[in-house]
Amino acid sequence: ENPKGAVLMGFSPVRLGALNWMLGAAVASVAGVLISPISGVNPFNYSLFVVPALAAALAGRLRSFGVAMATALAIGAFEGLTVHLVSREQVPTLLLGGFDSLVPFVVIVGMLVLAGRTIPDRGTVFDRRQPVVPVPGRHPVRHLVLVGVAVAAMAFGDSALRLSAVTSMIVTILCLSIVVLTGYVGQVSLAQLTLAGFSAFMLATASDRWGLPFPVAPAVAVAFATALGLAISLPALRIRGMQFAIVTLAAAVAIEQLLFRSPVFTGPGGTAVVRPPSIAGFEFGILGDREYPDVWFGLLALGITLLSIFVVTSVRRSGLGRRMLAVRANERAAAAAGVDLARTKLAAAGIASAIAGLAGVVFAYKNVQFGWAGLESSRGLQIIALAFLGGVGSVGGAVIAGLIAPSGVILVALGSPAASGTQLVVTGLGLLVVTIAFPAGIAGAGPWLRRMVTRVGDAGRGRPSVPDDASAVEVFVVDVGDSSPARSGR
């Protein structure tokens, strides 16, 4: 309930936490032993088993073993019953692929919404080690140089470089959506890749089935993804933090099972087909008539990436961005200052969902024909890990995450295999180091390195060093209206 109070009573929160973690791991290992003969050993499937388990635990309000056990048995019995119902085709065709995933999702959302509070309790402890969210600087010359380098890489680079650059841009756009929702508002969403996949399938439907031209079809796909993201984020009005992450993970699993693996939604054979974008008869799809991938398609992907960056930086500089940071820092204080919590959270969810939809548009045009492979909910965990590794609070962090992504520019340039086990291990270890050393991610390592160099230099000259906590203090005044913000310097 209160770590400081526990210390005053003579208890060690660190020791109690470690013992509790080991006890939970021991109990979970028993579940793994029991599950393995039934479903085999697959690390990603094991990660998703947490969804129905969380539904049962939340039904017991994380207090009652009896209620949790009864709910778990009921969910297991229903999943067994769905096998019979699906085999006899007694459920709607659209739900054949993931009818059993609906119940855990409904239970999780219901319990969290019913038990959640619009405003956190007065005694709620907030995490003070929030990632730094710097105001994007205005450096037109530097930005033009970077854009020029990207255009030159697309125009004069080889096929492997252009393809890896497109992959990096897709991951960058996805991480930009995480920057808005997690970096600015503090809501951890594990469904951004799922929203991108939904946008990709809707683009296939709009362009191939409905015959909508470019750019109407992408706009429709992004609009549908935004609507779905807002629907998923409605529980965020009453829940926050890890609880919201649980809801988005359950939603991602349900959408993947119900829609992405349903031929009714994706298309015949579970494969969606996207018509290449064209304007006035000029096609600039990834295949084109020239070298693969086509240069014009690379420039299209670059334009969408720059548009996403512009949106995110504009939000950060605006009054809405300052209200988002106020909500992230302390919801009670923000509400007392006049910030509309519901409107701010939904605005962040809508913007983040639209940006994720843009990533889905680039993904669909890149693959032309695709199924659910590559859009699994488990891969959403990898995307958010990359976002935190690069820096979840800044645009630069999202760009770094895209560059170090599997099949991205850096790994391809180094000749590393795409998505190898070694790369995943390195990403995991890097995430641990970033979490402990500098929460701002790799993008925030520059100021940290400068402080270390300054500290070493001061120590060599015999000067006292400045503590980290006092090295960069920035004060903001929340802007609840339309007036310009008052901001002090560092």
Side-chain angles (χ1 to χ4, degrees), residues 131 133 170-195 312 328 348-349 351-353 355-356 359 379-389 391-395 397-398 401:
V133 183
I170 294 174
V171 177
T172 296
I173 299 172
L174 273 173
C175 291
L176 286 171
S177 72
I178 296 174
V179 167
V180 173
L181 199 55
T182 304
Y184 292 178
V185 186
Q187 296 282 37
V188 180
S189 173
L190 303 178
Q192 298 308 106
L193 179 61
T194 301
L195 293 176
V312 175
R328 186 190 76 164
I351 295 171
S353 301
I355 295 174
R379 292 183 181 269
L381 304 176
Q382 301 177 29
I383 295 297
I384 198 167
L386 287 171
F388 273 91
L389 183 59
V392 76
S394 65
V395 172

Side-chain angles (χ1 to χ4, degrees), residues 54-65 67-68 110-112 114-116:
L54 280 171
L58 291 172
R61 300 287 183 93
L62 299 178
R63 298 188 183 97
S64 173
F65 287 103
V67 174
M111 293 307 304
L112 289 179
L114 291 176

Side-chain angles (χ1 to χ4, degrees), residues 147 150-151 154 169 297-307:
V147 172
V151 172
M154 285 295 173
M169 285 187 283
F297 174 76
L299 295 177
L300 171 65
L302 178 61
I304 295 177
T305 304
L306 294 177
L307 173 63

Side-chain angles (χ1 to χ4, degrees), residues 259-298:
L259 299 181
F260 294 177
R261 305 198 182 200
S262 172
V264 177
F265 178 75
T266 59
T271 302
V273 179
V274 178
R275 293 183 180 180
S278 63
I279 295 179
F282 176 74
E283 291 188 359
F284 42 95
I286 192 170
L287 300 177
D289 298 327
R290 295 160 292 275
E291 188 178 4
Y292 175 86
D294 189 75
V295 174
W296 288 105
F297 174 76

